[in-house]
Amino acid sequence: MSEPADAAQRRAIAPVICYPTDTLPQPDAAVMRAATETLQKRHEVTVPPREARSFHVRAGQTFRITSIKGPQVGDLNLWNAADLTERFFSGKTRALHGTHVTTGDRLWSSLPYLRPMATIVEDTLGWYGLDAHGGGVHDVIGTRCDPYTHNLLSDGHYHHCCHSNLTRALAEETGLPLAEAEPHIHDVLNVFMCTGFTRDTGQYFMKASPVRPGDHIDFLAEIDLVGALSACPGGDCGATHSSDTAPCFPLLVEVFDSAATPGYTPPPVNGYDRTHGR
């Protein structure tokens, strides 16, 4: 179709931020500092390449995800430890904080709960920002590599996509059959992954992650959590995913008590009355 005469005027209309965050509850700066002080490790989990593992974190504890042997991205799912129906809501996190998250941003839970599940308190890749391609680190725009899309595009049956890895990890953690665990798997925080949208076609892209051994991201658990982390089969996602050819490395999850842990009070669930106009 040909452009209308006022096409330039329509394109020039200034954007409006959908969710101004001036009134959004902010993390307490003193609590954030305390979450990185006097750390006492309680346990750790090593996530093998192309696999996922689960872990538990109590409200007020700090958990850290670290690259330990080579550049590796991870797909993170979070659930309320007492209720799997309350889980990480990447879409609302994206709408509130942007396409990529870093220190001070919060991971919000699904409706009808909509409260912070975890707050990022330290990020050694916080320096990266947005690059010339529009790429950033720790995205909440992608979903997770999955065997269904892989099958759609290549007619293959690959079993170590992050979706399948997370399904196995949750099934092992809860004792649920795979078919019952799978619906609880949800869109992820792509930890360490460098992604964006192409300027010409608007397509989701990935590029080699800037993560290096020793880089880490720390979270303050706002509620009691069960987490699952998959070490993506794409490695640093610089070339491919859903593949056994990319160099892949383990990730380390550590859980700490900190100065913020004693007496930590979880945030209440969202205050909406849930009457929906009736």
Side-chain angles (χ1 to χ4, degrees):
M1 295 180 64
S2 59
E3 289 189 352
D6 64 346
Q9 291 174 278
R10 297 191 203 182
R11 292 192 179 106
I13 294 172
V16 176
I17 299 298
C18 293
Y19 294 104
T21 55
D22 296 345
T23 60
L24 189 70
Q26 299 296 316
D28 185 293
V31 173
M32 287 183 60
R33 287 194 300 273
T36 62
E37 296 173 350
T38 61
L39 296 179
Q40 289 186 293
K41 186 187 292 190
R42 292 308 181 194
H43 59 272
E44 67 177 47
V45 176
T46 299
V47 183
R50 297 186 177 87
E51 291 289 349
R53 294 291 185 268
S54 62
F55 57 95
H56 284 259
V57 194
R58 297 196 321 273
Q61 289 184 317
T62 297
F63 67 99
R64 171 178 293 169
I65 299 173
T66 304
S67 168
I68 52 174
K69 291 190 176 180
Q72 177 67 42
V73 308
D75 285 35
L76 178 67
N77 268 188
L78 295 174
W79 298 268
N80 179 335
D83 179 5
L84 293 181
T85 66
E86 183 177 10
R87 62 194 191 188
F88 171 51
F89 190 175
S90 68
K92 190 59 69 178
T93 300
R94 176 175 66 249
L96 292 172
H97 295 300
T99 56
H100 301 80
V101 293
T102 189
T103 304
D105 293 332
R106 313 181 93 169
L107 307 187
W108 295 83
S109 69
S110 53
L111 304 181
Y113 312 99
L114 196 60
R115 59 175 167 172
M117 302 184 82
T119 297
I120 301 173
V121 294
E122 186 168 281
D123 174 16
T124 65
L125 293 177
W127 56 267
Y128 192 87
L130 290 178
D131 62 33
H133 303 284
V137 183
H138 311 308
D139 88 66
V140 283
I141 50 179
T143 53
R144 65 262 184 207
C145 57
D146 70 88
Y148 303 98
T149 304
H150 181 82
N151 180 265
L152 184 69
L153 297 176
S154 68
D155 198 33
H157 293 269
Y158 185 72
H159 305 301
H160 290 273
C161 296
C162 289
H163 177 88
S164 296
N165 295 347
L166 293 167
T167 298
R168 291 193 305 274
L170 183 62
E172 291 166 5
E173 172 64 34
T174 61
L176 291 170
L178 286 174
E180 293 181 25
E182 185 176 14
H184 293 290
I185 304 306
H186 50 279
D187 286 352
V188 297
L189 170 60
N190 283 306
V191 178
F192 303 140
M193 193 171 182
C194 190
T195 60
F197 293 106
T198 60
R199 302 295 172 85
D200 51 354
T201 63
Q203 289 177 285
Y204 181 55
F205 72 76
M206 60 188 188
K207 57 185 289 187
S209 173
V211 70
R212 296 294 182 267
D215 278 322
H216 62 269
I217 182 169
D218 292 2
F219 304 83
L220 169 67
E222 301 276 4
I223 63 174
D224 291 348
L225 295 171
V226 171
L229 180 69
S230 172
C232 182
D236 70 359
C237 287
T240 184
H241 57 57
S242 303
S243 167
D244 283 329
T245 61
C248 289
F249 303 93
L251 293 169
L252 178 65
V253 180
E254 299 169 284
V255 177
F256 302 91
D257 284 341
S258 75
T261 305
Y264 192 82
T265 302
V269 298
N270 191 270
Y272 176 61
D273 64 14
R274 300 177 67 178
T275 58
H276 303 292
R278 290 290 180 90

